Amino acid sequence: MAAEGTNHSHTDTFIGITCVVIFLISYLCVLGEEFFHLRKSKPVIIAAGLIWLLVGLAYTLEGDNESAAIAFRHNLLEYAELFFFLLAAMSFITTLEERQVFAALRSWLITCNLSLLQIYWATGALAFFLSPVADNLSTALLMGAVVMAVGQHNVRFVAVGCINVVVAANAGGAFSPFGDITTLMVWQKGVIGFSGFFNLFIPSVISWLVPALIMSAVVEKGNPVPERRHQQRQMKPGALPILTLFLLTIMLAVTSHSLLHLPSVLGMMTGLGVLKLYGYYLSRFESSIRDTGHVHNLHIQNLTDISQMKGDHTDVIRRFDIFQVVERSAWDTLMFFYGIVLSVGGLAALGYLGLLSDLFYSNLGPTLANSLIGVLSSLIDNIPVMFAVLTMQPDMSTNQWLLVTLTTGIGGSLLSIGSAAGIALMGQAQGVYTFSSHLKWSWAIALGYLLSIMSHLWLNGS
């Protein structure tokens, strides 16, 4: 956004149009990540740099040597708060995974001898209630693994089960500040209070239950084929204390933001510091670790390298190391977030978001505009969509802000490419859960989407 007191509009200039083209090209590279095998953060980081260089040039040509720098620092500060918040949250999730909390949960579900229909509902319900804390991407991957392990060669069950997990994870993430990056952005912006998000609980439930009930009609009623060999997984020592510490960290972030009016990132980073201290305790009293999940390949490589060295160095590698766990956080996502926030901020500084705000909110009205924005998030990642709305700052009531939070959260479920959860599961269940298999049920998901909007307007006011 431009600096206070300035009104720069370059929407019809060569520089402005060039910036839009740069952003679109970078985003096409993001959408083609699976085809190009190019990490999505790389093109948007370059785009952000080019856009802001052109923004600085446009302002300088007008004789304004200060506003561009002020606007850039404003956007950078917004990103920095979200970066450290997400870094802390991802570190906790990755540490819980390294302690095999999620592996133990998955193992327990597989050995419960449930029917296919019961597994279908259990994975959907767990995805819905885990995603408000463990984010929708991690939750979808966890529950998707359970669906595939139980369904094995039952293609129809795996496809429908994965769709159910994606819809449930996105719906669950919509009513919690911690469930999705977009809800976190809204909360940190101060538009909606922490408790205000829970007004979206019933609409979120409806957005999941409606398509889940419809799709359950094609799930077989029998039992899955028993797995020949399944290794029971147990949580590692320290798993429950870390889980407790994570919940206490969330409470600290919420209370410091609500009662002391301090940025919530302060509470999260304080909790991360305590986690690192507890990690030191584990490294002192745990002699050996056998990693799984994201850190497994890292330690296998380390152990291979160390085996070629002379002397006994195993105490360096085998002990729990919180810094190695943090290294495995989703850095590509964090860097992608930088590129998106700065790119959208640069377009806002050129006047494009003001133009879109007039087009959407002034001409269509907030209810229709917010509903269409949710549909748009099924084609474009909801992070730039929500950041653009927050940057526009349209004059809306709290319930309308709740509506756009809901629609950007659940709108990504309309297509498999509309959310990180869907894209990740397509990679995990290649050839079974596909774009076309998801599209076959998009009408049911759209029905849940419309009914959830109607329930929100009825329960929380238009």
Side-chain angles (χ1 to χ4, degrees), residues 333-356:
T333 299
L334 293 170
M335 295 297 101
F336 168 73
F337 197 29
Y338 164 86
I340 288 298
V341 168
L342 270 296
S343 294
V344 173
L347 294 178
L350 294 171
Y352 281 103
L353 295 192
L355 189 65
L356 287 176

Side-chain angles (χ1 to χ4, degrees), residues 373-417:
I373 282 172
V375 176
L376 183 63
S377 69
S378 67
L379 297 170
I380 302 175
D381 191 275
N382 59 2
I383 293 174
V385 171
M386 177 53 80
F387 187 74
V389 174
L390 289 171
T391 307
M392 291 178 198
Q393 280 291 312
D395 186 15
M396 298 192 298
S397 66
T398 300
N399 288 326
Q400 286 293 339
W401 279 108
L402 283 170
L403 177 60
V404 74
T405 302
L406 174 69
T407 57
T408 52
I410 65 176
S413 300
L414 293 169
L415 297 174
S416 61
I417 61 171

